Amino acid sequence: MEISNSGRAFTRRSVLNFALAAGASSMFPVAAHAEAPAAPKGAKLVLLGTKGGPRVGGNRSNPANALIVDGVTYIIDTGMGVTAQVVKAGIDLASIRTILISHMHSDHQLEFGNLVYNIWVSGALRQPVDAYGPAGLEDMARDFWQLNRLDVATRMEDEGRADPSKLLRAHDFTKKDGLVMQDERVKVTAFTTPHPPLENLAYRFETPYGVVVYSGDTAYNPALADFARDADVLVHEVLYLPGVDALVKRANGTPAFRKHIVESHTAAEQVGMIAAQARAKKLVLSHFGPGDMEWITDEMWRAETARHFDGEIVVGRDLLEIPLG
C-alpha cells in the first residue's frame, strides 16, 4: 500500500523509517560543531622489548621501544614481536608516524616491514609513516613489498585498501652524525657508535618535556657520553660479563661468537661510567645480555652499574612506562 501526500509517494517502510529517525533525533540531538578529542599532552617512553639478541623466548621480548609525544608515537627498533607489544601496551597503531632503526642486526629490524603491514591491514595506516635508519633501509622497504606483493595486491582488490607501499617512506641515513628528522614535537639527531662488524646509530630525542638518548647496540664508547650529555633519560644496552659463557654454551656458540658478544657490547660497569660522564639524570638499562637467565637478578644488574653511577638506575622490563617532564 502507498500513502499519497502532496503528490509524493511513501511506502509503509518509508513512513516507519522516517518516524524512527525523527524520534531518535529528538532524543539525541546532534551537536552542530562536534570536534575530535584533543591529543593527550605529555611524553613517555615505553620499553616494548628489553632482551638483547634474536633468540625468542623467556620473559622478555626482542628489542623495541616507543616514544610517545603529545599522542604521536615514534618507534625505535622493531625486533620480533613489536606489533604484539604495541597492542599490549595500549598504543594506538594509527598514532605511529615515525620508525627509527639503530642498525641492521635482525633483532632490531626483523619486524620493520611487518609492523607497517600490520598497521595497514588493521585499517590504521591512514597517513604516511616515515622510517629512518642506516644505509639499506630503503632497499629493505622496497624488498618487503616485493616479497608480499601477492597478498598486498589481493587485499587491495578484494578489500578496497590503499597501496601501503606509497605510505611507507624509508630514508637511509648515510652520515656519521647529525640531524635525522624534526617535526613540531621532536628533534632527532644521530651519532655513530661501533658495534663490530657493523656500525650503530645512537639517537637523541629532544622534546618539550625532556631529552631521551637511546644507545642502540654499542661497544664501550666514551664519546657516547658527550652525545648523551645532560639527558633526562639515557637508555643503554647492557652486558653482564659473568653470564657470557652460559649464553655461549646455550647457543652452541663458537669462540668467534663469544668474541663478538664481548667486543661489540658494553659491560654493566662500563654503562655506569658512560652515564656518569654524560651526567644523565636517569639511566635505564635495556637490551639485556643475557636477557633471559633468571639467576641474573635486577640487583645484580643494578650493582654492577652503580659502581660508577650514583644517579637513578632503572632495570628495564617489557611494557615499562617512563614519563618525561
Side-chain angles (χ1 to χ4, degrees):
M1 179 183 75
E2 291 187 348
I3 302 174
S4 178
N5 183 9
S6 302
R8 296 174 61 191
F10 294 85
T11 64
R12 182 176 295 167
R13 182 181 298 275
S14 298
V15 173
L16 179 60
N17 288 342
F18 178 83
L20 290 173
S25 65
S26 65
M27 289 186 293
F28 305 106
V30 178
H33 300 287
E35 296 181 0
K41 293 296 182 181
K44 64 181 177 181
L45 176 71
V46 184
L47 307 181
L48 299 173
T50 56
K51 179 174 63 178
R55 183 176 184 270
V56 175
N59 296 324
R60 298 181 185 273
S61 189
N62 300 100
N65 307 270
L67 178 62
I68 305 172
V69 183
D70 292 341
V72 175
T73 300
Y74 303 77
I75 296 292
I76 312 157
D77 281 338
T78 56
M80 184 68 180
V82 61
T83 307
Q85 294 297 94
V86 166
V87 173
K88 286 179 184 177
I91 299 171
D92 182 3
L93 288 170
S95 73
I96 298 174
R97 306 282 177 79
T98 303
I99 299 171
L100 297 113
I101 302 298
S102 62
H103 65 289
M104 288 306 198
H105 269 144
S106 64
D107 53 322
H108 293 258
Q109 44 80 346
L110 191 61
E111 204 172 311
F112 165 61
N114 287 350
L115 173 60
V116 179
Y117 176 91
N118 289 331
I119 299 171
W120 173 69
V121 82
S122 72
L125 188 61
R126 297 188 286 271
Q127 14 186 352
V129 170
D130 285 288
Y132 303 87
L137 191 67
E138 294 174 12
D139 289 343
M140 183 179 292
R142 183 179 60 251
D143 291 347
F144 177 82
W145 299 123
Q146 177 66 14
L147 176 67
N148 292 281
R149 64 190 181 280
L150 179 58
D151 173 271
V152 170
T154 299
R155 293 188 186 279
M156 286 173 60
E157 180 177 356
D158 190 47
E159 302 172 17
R161 297 182 180 275
D163 183 352
S165 67
K166 291 182 168 55
L167 293 171
L168 172 59
R169 304 185 298 210
H171 311 272
D172 285 355
F173 184 81
T174 57
K175 299 182 293 183
K176 284 291 185 180
D177 54 50
L179 180 67
V180 177
M181 58 83 64
Q182 184 170 5
D183 59 23
E184 62 272 26
R185 293 165 296 273
V186 178
K187 176 182 178 181
V188 183
T189 51
F191 175 71
T192 298
T193 67
H195 181 52
L198 300 176
E199 290 186 328
N200 166 83
L201 293 175
Y203 289 111
R204 182 182 179 100
F205 300 83
E206 298 177 32
T207 83
Y209 309 97
V211 174
V212 176
V213 174
Y214 174 71
S215 74
D217 283 13
T218 179
Y220 174 57
N221 182 21
L224 182 59
D226 293 330
F227 181 68
R229 183 76 64 209
D230 297 323
D232 294 281
V233 177
L234 169 60
V235 184
H236 204 295
E237 69 128 77
V238 62
L239 178 68
Y240 188 66
L241 288 175
V244 170
D245 288 334
L247 188 157
V248 173
K249 180 179 180 180
R250 185 186 63 192
N252 296 315
T254 63
F257 178 58
R258 187 185 191 284
K259 183 174 184 287
H260 164 75
I261 293 172
V262 173
E263 295 184 358
S264 299
H265 296 279
T266 307
E269 182 176 0
Q270 296 171 327
V271 173
M273 295 167 64
I274 295 292
Q277 293 163 16
R279 302 196 301 265
K281 296 180 179 64
K282 181 181 297 186
L283 171 62
V284 177
L285 305 179
S286 191
H287 194 283
F288 293 93
D292 53 5
M293 293 185 180
E294 298 305 316
W295 61 270
I296 308 176
T297 66
D298 285 3
E299 189 48 46
M300 290 178 180
W301 292 110
R302 187 177 287 107
E304 285 294 302
T305 311
R307 291 176 185 268
H308 300 280
F309 181 64
D310 59 6
E312 182 180 357
I313 300 171
V314 176
V315 180
R317 64 177 186 277
D318 288 9
L319 305 183
L320 177 66
E321 296 186 359
I322 301 164
L324 296 182

